[in-house]
Coordinates of all heavy atoms in Angstrom, one line a residue:
M254 N -111.6 44.6 -5.4 CA -112.6 45.6 -5.4 C -112.4 46.6 -4.2 O -111.8 46.2 -3.2 CB -114.0 45.0 -5.4 CG -115.2 45.9 -5.5 SD -116.7 45.0 -5.3 CE -117.6 46.1 -4.3
S255 N -112.9 47.8 -4.4 CA -112.9 48.7 -3.3 C -114.0 49.7 -3.5 O -114.5 49.8 -4.6 CB -111.5 49.5 -3.3 OG -111.6 50.6 -2.5
Y256 N -114.3 50.5 -2.5 CA -115.2 51.6 -2.7 C -114.4 52.9 -3.0 O -113.2 53.0 -2.6 CB -116.2 51.8 -1.6 CG -117.3 50.8 -1.6 CD1 -117.1 49.4 -1.5 CD2 -118.6 51.2 -1.9 CE1 -118.1 48.5 -1.6 CE2 -119.6 50.3 -2.0 CZ -119.4 48.9 -1.9 OH -120.4 48.0 -2.0
V257 N -115.0 53.8 -3.7 CA -114.3 55.0 -4.2 C -115.2 56.2 -3.9 O -116.4 56.2 -4.1 CB -114.1 54.9 -5.7 CG1 -113.5 56.2 -6.3 CG2 -113.2 53.7 -6.1
I258 N -114.5 57.3 -3.4 CA -115.3 58.6 -3.2 C -115.0 59.5 -4.4 O -113.9 59.7 -4.8 CB -114.8 59.2 -1.9 CG1 -115.1 58.3 -0.7 CG2 -115.5 60.6 -1.7 CD1 -114.7 58.9 0.7
T259 N -116.1 60.0 -4.9 CA -116.0 60.9 -6.1 C -116.0 62.3 -5.7 O -116.2 62.7 -4.5 CB -117.2 60.6 -7.0 OG1 -118.4 61.0 -6.3 CG2 -117.4 59.1 -7.4
S260 N -115.9 63.2 -6.7 CA -115.7 64.6 -6.4 C -117.0 65.3 -5.8 O -116.9 66.4 -5.4 CB -115.3 65.3 -7.7 OG -116.2 65.1 -8.7
R261 N -118.1 64.5 -5.8 CA -119.3 65.1 -5.2 C -119.1 65.3 -3.7 O -119.9 66.0 -3.1 CB -120.5 64.2 -5.5 CG -121.1 64.4 -6.9 CD -122.3 63.7 -7.1 NE -122.1 62.2 -7.3 CZ -121.5 61.7 -8.4 NH1 -121.1 62.5 -9.4 NH2 -121.3 60.4 -8.5
C262 N -118.1 64.7 -3.1 CA -117.8 64.9 -1.7 C -117.3 66.4 -1.5 O -117.6 66.9 -0.4 CB -116.8 63.9 -1.3 SG -116.1 64.3 0.4
A263 N -116.6 66.9 -2.4 CA -116.0 68.3 -2.3 C -117.1 69.3 -1.9 O -118.2 69.3 -2.5 CB -115.3 68.7 -3.6
G264 N -116.8 70.1 -0.9 CA -117.8 71.1 -0.5 C -118.8 70.6 0.5 O -119.5 71.4 1.1
V265 N -118.8 69.3 0.8 CA -119.7 68.8 1.8 C -118.8 68.3 3.0 O -118.8 68.8 4.1 CB -120.5 67.6 1.3 CG1 -121.5 67.1 2.3 CG2 -121.3 68.0 0.0
K266 N -118.0 67.2 2.7 CA -117.0 66.7 3.7 C -117.5 66.7 5.1 O -116.9 67.2 6.0 CB -115.8 67.6 3.6 CG -115.0 67.5 2.3 CD -113.8 68.4 2.3 CE -112.8 67.9 3.3 NZ -111.7 68.8 3.4
D267 N -118.7 66.0 5.3 CA -119.3 66.0 6.6 C -118.8 64.9 7.5 O -119.2 64.7 8.7 CB -120.8 66.0 6.5 CG -121.3 64.7 5.9 OD1 -120.4 63.9 5.4 OD2 -122.5 64.4 5.9
Q268 N -117.9 64.0 7.0 CA -117.3 62.9 7.7 C -118.2 61.8 8.1 O -117.9 60.9 8.9 CB -116.6 63.4 9.0 CG -115.5 64.4 8.8 CD -114.7 64.7 10.0 OE1 -114.6 63.9 11.0 NE2 -114.1 65.9 10.1
A269 N -119.4 61.8 7.5 CA -120.4 60.8 7.9 C -119.8 59.4 7.5 O -120.0 58.4 8.3 CB -121.7 61.0 7.2
C270 N -119.2 59.3 6.4 CA -118.6 58.0 5.9 C -117.5 57.6 6.9 O -117.4 56.4 7.3 CB -118.1 58.1 4.5 SG -116.9 59.5 4.3
M271 N -116.7 58.5 7.3 CA -115.6 58.1 8.2 C -116.1 57.6 9.5 O -115.5 56.7 10.1 CB -114.7 59.4 8.4 CG -113.5 59.2 9.2 SD -112.6 60.7 9.6 CE -111.8 61.1 8.0
D272 N -117.2 58.2 10.0 CA -117.7 57.8 11.3 C -118.3 56.4 11.3 O -118.3 55.8 12.3 CB -118.9 58.8 11.7 CG -118.4 60.2 12.0 OD1 -117.1 60.3 12.3 OD2 -119.2 61.1 12.0
V273 N -118.7 55.9 10.1 CA -119.3 54.5 10.1 C -118.3 53.5 9.6 O -118.6 52.3 9.7 CB -120.6 54.4 9.3 CG1 -121.6 55.4 9.9 CG2 -120.3 54.7 7.8
C274 N -117.2 53.8 9.0 CA -116.3 52.9 8.4 C -115.6 52.0 9.5 O -115.0 52.6 10.5 CB -115.2 53.6 7.6 SG -114.0 52.4 6.9
P275 N -115.7 50.7 9.4 CA -115.2 49.8 10.5 C -113.7 49.6 10.5 O -113.2 49.1 11.4 CB -115.9 48.5 10.2 CG -116.2 48.5 8.8 CD -116.4 50.0 8.4
C276 N -113.0 50.1 9.4 CA -111.6 49.8 9.3 C -110.7 51.0 9.1 O -109.6 50.9 8.7 CB -111.4 48.7 8.2 SG -111.9 49.3 6.6
E277 N -111.3 52.2 9.4 CA -110.5 53.4 9.3 C -109.7 53.6 8.1 O -108.5 53.9 8.1 CB -109.6 53.5 10.6 CG -110.5 53.5 11.9 CD -109.6 53.6 13.1 OE1 -108.3 53.7 13.0 OE2 -110.1 53.7 14.2
C278 N -110.4 53.4 6.9 CA -109.6 53.5 5.7 C -110.1 54.7 4.9 O -109.7 54.9 3.7 CB -109.8 52.2 4.8 SG -111.5 51.9 4.4
I279 N -110.8 55.6 5.5 CA -111.3 56.9 4.9 C -110.5 58.1 5.5 O -110.4 58.2 6.7 CB -112.8 57.1 5.0 CG1 -113.6 55.9 4.4 CG2 -113.2 58.4 4.4 CD1 -115.1 56.0 4.6
F280 N -110.0 58.9 4.6 CA -109.2 60.0 5.0 C -109.5 61.3 4.3 O -110.1 61.3 3.2 CB -107.7 59.7 4.7 CG -107.1 58.6 5.5 CD1 -107.3 57.3 5.1 CD2 -106.4 58.8 6.7 CE1 -106.9 56.2 5.8 CE2 -106.0 57.7 7.4 CZ -106.2 56.4 7.0
D281 N -109.2 62.4 5.0 CA -109.5 63.7 4.4 C -108.3 64.1 3.5 O -107.2 64.2 4.0 CB -109.6 64.8 5.5 CG -110.0 66.1 5.0 OD1 -109.9 66.4 3.8 OD2 -110.4 67.0 5.9
A282 N -108.5 64.2 2.2 CA -107.5 64.5 1.2 C -107.4 66.0 0.9 O -106.7 66.3 0.0 CB -107.7 63.7 0.0
G283 N -108.1 66.8 1.6 CA -108.1 68.2 1.4 C -109.3 68.7 0.6 O -110.3 69.1 1.3
D284 N -109.4 68.5 -0.7 CA -110.5 68.8 -1.5 C -111.7 68.0 -1.1 O -112.9 68.4 -1.2 CB -110.3 68.7 -3.0 CG -109.2 69.8 -3.4 OD1 -109.1 70.8 -2.7 OD2 -108.7 69.6 -4.5
Q285 N -111.5 66.7 -0.9 CA -112.5 65.7 -0.6 C -112.0 64.6 0.2 O -110.8 64.5 0.5 CB -113.0 65.1 -1.9 CG -111.9 64.3 -2.7 CD -112.5 63.6 -3.9 OE1 -112.8 64.2 -4.9 NE2 -112.7 62.3 -3.7
F286 N -112.8 63.7 0.6 CA -112.4 62.5 1.4 C -112.0 61.4 0.3 O -112.5 61.4 -0.8 CB -113.5 62.0 2.3 CG -113.5 62.8 3.6 CD1 -113.8 64.1 3.6 CD2 -113.3 62.2 4.8 CE1 -113.8 64.8 4.8 CE2 -113.3 62.9 6.0 CZ -113.6 64.2 6.0
V287 N -111.2 60.5 0.7 CA -110.8 59.4 -0.1 C -110.7 58.1 0.7 O -110.6 58.1 1.9 CB -109.4 59.7 -0.8 CG1 -109.4 60.8 -1.8 CG2 -108.3 60.0 0.3
I288 N -110.8 57.0 -0.1 CA -110.8 55.6 0.5 C -109.5 54.9 0.1 O -109.1 54.9 -1.1 CB -112.0 54.8 0.1 CG1 -113.3 55.5 0.6 CG2 -111.9 53.4 0.6 CD1 -114.5 54.8 0.1
N289 N -108.8 54.3 1.1 CA -107.6 53.5 0.8 C -108.1 52.2 0.3 O -108.6 51.4 1.0 CB -106.8 53.3 2.1 CG -105.5 52.6 1.8 OD1 -105.3 52.0 0.8 ND2 -104.6 52.8 2.8
P290 N -107.8 51.9 -1.0 CA -108.3 50.7 -1.6 C -107.6 49.4 -1.1 O -108.2 48.3 -1.2 CB -107.9 50.9 -3.1 CG -106.8 51.8 -3.1 CD -107.0 52.8 -2.0
D291 N -106.5 49.6 -0.4 CA -105.8 48.4 0.1 C -106.5 48.0 1.4 O -106.3 46.8 1.9 CB -104.4 48.7 0.3 CG -103.6 48.9 -1.0 OD1 -104.0 48.3 -2.0 OD2 -102.7 49.7 -1.0
D292 N -107.2 48.9 2.1 CA -107.7 48.6 3.4 C -109.2 48.4 3.4 O -109.8 47.9 4.4 CB -107.3 49.6 4.4 CG -105.8 49.6 4.8 OD1 -105.2 48.5 4.5 OD2 -105.3 50.6 5.3
C293 N -109.9 48.9 2.4 CA -111.4 48.9 2.3 C -111.8 47.4 2.3 O -111.3 46.6 1.4 CB -111.9 49.6 1.1 SG -113.6 49.5 0.8
I294 N -112.8 47.0 3.1 CA -113.2 45.6 3.1 C -114.6 45.5 2.4 O -115.3 44.4 2.5 CB -113.4 45.1 4.6 CG1 -114.4 45.9 5.4 CG2 -112.0 45.1 5.2 CD1 -114.7 45.3 6.7
D295 N -115.0 46.5 1.6 CA -116.2 46.4 0.7 C -117.5 46.2 1.5 O -118.3 45.5 1.0 CB -116.0 45.3 -0.3 CG -114.7 45.5 -1.1 OD1 -114.3 46.7 -1.3 OD2 -114.1 44.5 -1.6
C296 N -117.6 46.7 2.7 CA -118.8 46.5 3.5 C -120.0 47.3 3.0 O -121.1 47.0 3.2 CB -118.5 46.7 4.9 SG -118.3 48.5 5.4
G297 N -119.7 48.5 2.3 CA -120.7 49.3 1.8 C -121.4 50.2 2.8 O -122.3 51.0 2.5
A298 N -121.0 50.2 4.1 CA -121.6 51.0 5.1 C -121.5 52.5 4.8 O -122.5 53.3 5.1 CB -121.0 50.7 6.5
C299 N -120.5 52.9 4.2 CA -120.3 54.4 3.9 C -121.3 54.9 2.9 O -121.7 56.0 2.9 CB -118.9 54.6 3.5 SG -118.4 53.6 2.1
V300 N -121.7 54.0 2.0 CA -122.6 54.4 0.9 C -123.9 55.0 1.4 O -124.4 56.0 1.0 CB -122.9 53.3 -0.1 CG1 -123.9 53.7 -1.2 CG2 -121.6 52.8 -0.8
A301 N -124.5 54.3 2.4 CA -125.8 54.6 2.9 C -125.9 56.0 3.6 O -126.9 56.6 3.7 CB -126.3 53.5 3.8
V302 N -124.7 56.4 4.2 CA -124.8 57.6 5.0 C -124.3 58.8 4.3 O -124.5 59.9 4.8 CB -123.9 57.4 6.3 CG1 -124.4 56.3 7.1 CG2 -122.4 57.2 5.9
C303 N -123.8 58.7 3.1 CA -123.4 59.9 2.3 C -124.6 60.7 1.8 O -125.4 60.2 1.1 CB -122.5 59.5 1.1 SG -121.9 60.9 0.2
P304 N -124.6 62.0 2.2 CA -125.8 62.8 1.9 C -125.8 63.2 0.4 O -126.9 63.7 -0.1 CB -125.6 64.0 2.8 CG -124.2 64.1 3.0 CD -123.7 62.7 3.1
V305 N -124.7 63.0 -0.3 CA -124.7 63.4 -1.7 C -124.4 62.3 -2.7 O -124.1 62.5 -3.8 CB -123.7 64.6 -1.9 CG1 -124.2 65.9 -1.3 CG2 -122.3 64.2 -1.4
E306 N -124.5 61.1 -2.2 CA -124.3 59.9 -3.0 C -123.0 60.0 -3.8 O -122.9 59.8 -5.0 CB -125.5 59.7 -4.0 CG -126.8 59.4 -3.2 CD -128.0 59.2 -4.2 OE1 -127.8 59.1 -5.4 OE2 -129.1 59.1 -3.7
A307 N -121.9 60.2 -3.0 CA -120.6 60.4 -3.6 C -119.8 59.1 -3.7 O -118.7 59.1 -4.3 CB -119.8 61.5 -2.8
I308 N -120.3 58.1 -3.1 CA -119.5 56.9 -2.9 C -120.1 55.7 -3.8 O -121.3 55.4 -3.7 CB -119.4 56.4 -1.4 CG1 -119.0 57.6 -0.6 CG2 -118.4 55.3 -1.3 CD1 -119.0 57.3 0.9
Y309 N -119.1 55.1 -4.5 CA -119.5 53.9 -5.4 C -118.5 52.8 -5.2 O -117.4 53.0 -4.9 CB -119.5 54.4 -6.8 CG -120.5 55.4 -7.3 CD1 -120.3 56.7 -7.1 CD2 -121.7 55.0 -7.8 CE1 -121.2 57.7 -7.5 CE2 -122.7 55.9 -8.2 CZ -122.4 57.3 -8.0 OH -123.3 58.2 -8.4
A310 N -119.0 51.6 -5.5 CA -118.0 50.5 -5.7 C -117.3 50.8 -7.0 O -117.8 51.4 -7.9 CB -118.8 49.2 -5.8
D311 N -116.0 50.4 -7.0 CA -115.2 50.7 -8.2 C -115.7 50.1 -9.4 O -115.5 50.6 -10.5 CB -113.7 50.4 -7.9 CG -113.4 49.0 -7.6 OD1 -114.4 48.1 -7.6 OD2 -112.3 48.6 -7.3
T312 N -116.4 49.0 -9.3 CA -117.0 48.3 -10.4 C -118.3 49.0 -10.9 O -118.8 48.7 -12.0 CB -117.4 46.9 -10.0 OG1 -118.1 46.9 -8.8 CG2 -116.1 46.0 -9.8
D313 N -118.8 49.9 -10.1 CA -120.1 50.6 -10.5 C -119.9 52.1 -10.8 O -120.9 52.9 -10.9 CB -121.1 50.5 -9.4 CG -121.7 49.1 -9.3 OD1 -121.7 48.4 -10.3 OD2 -122.2 48.7 -8.2
L314 N -118.7 52.6 -10.9 CA -118.4 54.0 -11.0 C -119.0 54.5 -12.4 O -118.7 53.9 -13.4 CB -116.9 54.2 -11.1 CG -116.2 54.7 -9.8 CD1 -114.7 54.9 -10.1 CD2 -116.8 56.0 -9.2
P315 N -119.8 55.6 -12.3 CA -120.2 56.2 -13.6 C -119.0 56.6 -14.4 O -118.0 57.0 -13.8 CB -121.0 57.4 -13.1 CG -121.4 57.1 -11.7 CD -120.3 56.3 -11.1
D316 N -119.1 56.6 -15.7 CA -118.0 57.0 -16.6 C -117.4 58.3 -16.2 O -116.1 58.4 -16.2 CB -118.4 57.0 -18.1 CG -118.7 55.6 -18.6 OD1 -118.2 54.6 -17.9 OD2 -119.3 55.5 -19.7
Q317 N -118.2 59.3 -15.9 CA -117.6 60.6 -15.6 C -116.8 60.7 -14.3 O -116.1 61.6 -14.1 CB -118.7 61.7 -15.6 CG -119.7 61.6 -14.4 CD -120.9 60.8 -14.7 OE1 -120.9 59.9 -15.6 NE2 -122.0 61.1 -14.0
D318 N -117.0 59.6 -13.5 CA -116.3 59.6 -12.2 C -115.0 58.7 -12.3 O -114.4 58.5 -11.2 CB -117.2 59.1 -11.1 CG -118.3 60.1 -10.8 OD1 -118.0 61.3 -10.7 OD2 -119.5 59.7 -10.7
L319 N -114.7 58.1 -13.4 CA -113.6 57.2 -13.5 C -112.3 57.9 -13.0 O -111.4 57.2 -12.4 CB -113.4 56.7 -14.9 CG -114.4 55.6 -15.3 CD1 -114.3 55.2 -16.8 CD2 -114.3 54.4 -14.4
P320 N -112.0 59.2 -13.2 CA -110.8 59.8 -12.7 C -110.7 59.6 -11.1 O -109.6 59.7 -10.6 CB -110.9 61.2 -13.1 CG -111.7 61.2 -14.3 CD -112.8 60.1 -14.1
S321 N -111.8 59.5 -10.5 CA -111.8 59.4 -9.0 C -111.1 58.1 -8.5 O -110.6 58.0 -7.4 CB -113.2 59.4 -8.4 OG -113.8 60.6 -8.7
L322 N -111.0 57.1 -9.4 CA -110.4 55.8 -9.1 C -108.9 56.1 -8.8 O -108.4 55.7 -7.7 CB -110.5 54.9 -10.3 CG -110.4 53.4 -10.0 CD1 -111.4 52.9 -9.0 CD2 -110.7 52.7 -11.4
A323 N -108.2 56.8 -9.7 CA -106.8 57.1 -9.5 C -106.6 58.2 -8.4 O -105.7 58.1 -7.6 CB -106.2 57.6 -10.8
Y324 N -107.6 59.1 -8.3 CA -107.5 60.1 -7.2 C -107.5 59.5 -5.8 O -106.7 59.9 -5.0 CB -108.6 61.1 -7.4 CG -108.5 62.3 -6.5 CD1 -107.8 63.4 -6.9 CD2 -109.0 62.4 -5.2 CE1 -107.6 64.6 -6.1 CE2 -108.9 63.5 -4.4 CZ -108.2 64.6 -4.9 OH -108.0 65.7 -4.0
N325 N -108.3 58.5 -5.6 CA -108.4 57.9 -4.3 C -107.1 57.0 -4.1 O -106.4 57.2 -3.1 CB -109.6 56.9 -4.2 CG -110.9 57.7 -3.9 OD1 -111.5 57.4 -2.9 ND2 -111.3 58.6 -4.7
R326 N -106.8 56.2 -5.1 CA -105.6 55.3 -5.0 C -104.3 56.1 -4.8 O -103.5 55.8 -3.9 CB -105.5 54.5 -6.2 CG -104.4 53.4 -6.2 CD -104.3 52.8 -7.6 NE -103.9 53.8 -8.6 CZ -104.4 53.9 -9.8 NH1 -105.2 53.0 -10.2 NH2 -104.0 54.9 -10.6
D327 N -104.1 57.1 -5.6 CA -102.8 57.8 -5.6 C -102.6 58.6 -4.3 O -101.4 58.8 -4.0 CB -102.7 58.8 -6.8 CG -102.6 58.0 -8.1 OD1 -102.5 56.8 -8.1 OD2 -102.8 58.7 -9.2
F328 N -103.6 59.0 -3.6 CA -103.4 59.7 -2.4 C -102.6 58.8 -1.4 O -101.8 59.3 -0.6 CB -104.8 60.0 -1.7 CG -104.6 60.7 -0.4 CD1 -104.3 62.0 -0.3 CD2 -104.8 60.0 0.8 CE1 -104.2 62.7 0.9 CE2 -104.7 60.6 2.0 CZ -104.4 62.0 2.1
F329 N -102.7 57.5 -1.5 CA -102.0 56.6 -0.6 C -100.7 56.0 -1.2 O -100.0 55.4 -0.5 CB -103.0 55.4 -0.2 CG -104.2 55.9 0.5 CD1 -105.4 56.1 -0.3 CD2 -104.2 56.2 1.8 CE1 -106.5 56.6 0.3 CE2 -105.4 56.7 2.4 CZ -106.5 56.9 1.7
R330 N -100.5 56.3 -2.4 CA -99.3 55.6 -3.1 C -98.3 56.6 -3.5 O -97.2 56.2 -3.9 CB -99.8 54.8 -4.3 CG -100.7 53.6 -3.8 CD -100.9 52.6 -4.8 NE -101.8 51.6 -4.2 CZ -102.5 50.7 -4.9 NH1 -102.5 50.7 -6.2 NH2 -103.2 49.8 -4.3
L331 N -98.6 57.9 -3.6 CA -97.6 58.9 -4.0 C -96.6 59.3 -2.9 O -97.0 59.2 -1.7 CB -98.3 60.1 -4.6 CG -99.1 59.8 -5.9 CD1 -99.7 61.1 -6.4 CD2 -98.1 59.3 -7.0
Ligands
SF4_439 S1 -117.0 50.1 2.0 FE1 -116.9 49.8 4.2 S2 -114.7 49.5 4.6 FE2 -114.9 50.4 2.6 S3 -114.7 52.6 2.9 FE3 -116.9 52.1 3.0 S4 -117.3 51.8 5.2 FE4 -115.1 51.6 4.9
SF4_440 S1 -120.3 61.0 3.6 FE1 -120.1 61.7 1.5 S2 -120.0 63.9 1.6 FE2 -119.6 63.1 3.6 S3 -117.4 63.1 3.8 FE3 -118.1 61.0 3.1 S4 -118.0 61.1 0.9 FE4 -117.9 63.2 1.6

């Protein structure tokens, strides 16, 4: 499991999630921020501080946000 940042981050990008993440696994991907699924420890701290509710556990992603799963993962694997 990992947490995933959805496209609702785009246009906001206030870094609040990055500031509270204990393992530095959140990065600026340009259009939006993304989470490295290999390093996320599933603490959930980032969820509470996001002003636009852009962050979900991968197991709770709304159907329309499923493409965000690959978008986050591929940033670190391509
Ligand atoms: S769930 Fe925790 S470890 Fe994972 S990205 Fe959010 S703050 Fe970082
Ligand atoms: S807290 Fe939310 S809006 Fe801010 S950078 Fe993180 S995901 Fe994007």
Side-chain angles (χ1 to χ4, degrees):
M254 185 182 137
S255 165
Y256 280 69
V257 175
I258 299 180
T259 65
S260 59
R261 280 185 286 288
C262 171
V265 185
K266 293 181 63 186
D267 65 351
Q268 298 191 26
C270 53
M271 185 186 282
D272 289 344
V273 299
C274 180
C276 58
E277 299 182 358
C278 62
I279 301 177
F280 293 83
D281 186 347
D284 291 342
Q285 65 170 75
F286 280 62
V287 289
I288 294 172
N289 186 340
D291 295 328
D292 291 342
C293 174
I294 60 170
D295 304 330
C296 71
C299 52
V300 174
V302 299
C303 180
V305 290
E306 299 182 5
I308 308 173
Y309 293 85
D311 58 3
T312 51
D313 287 337
L314 262 182
D316 286 346
Q317 70 267 24
D318 292 315
L319 285 175
S321 295
L322 204 56
Y324 189 88
N325 281 239
R326 183 191 62 219
D327 291 350
F328 178 77
F329 300 97
R330 296 192 180 161
L331 292 179

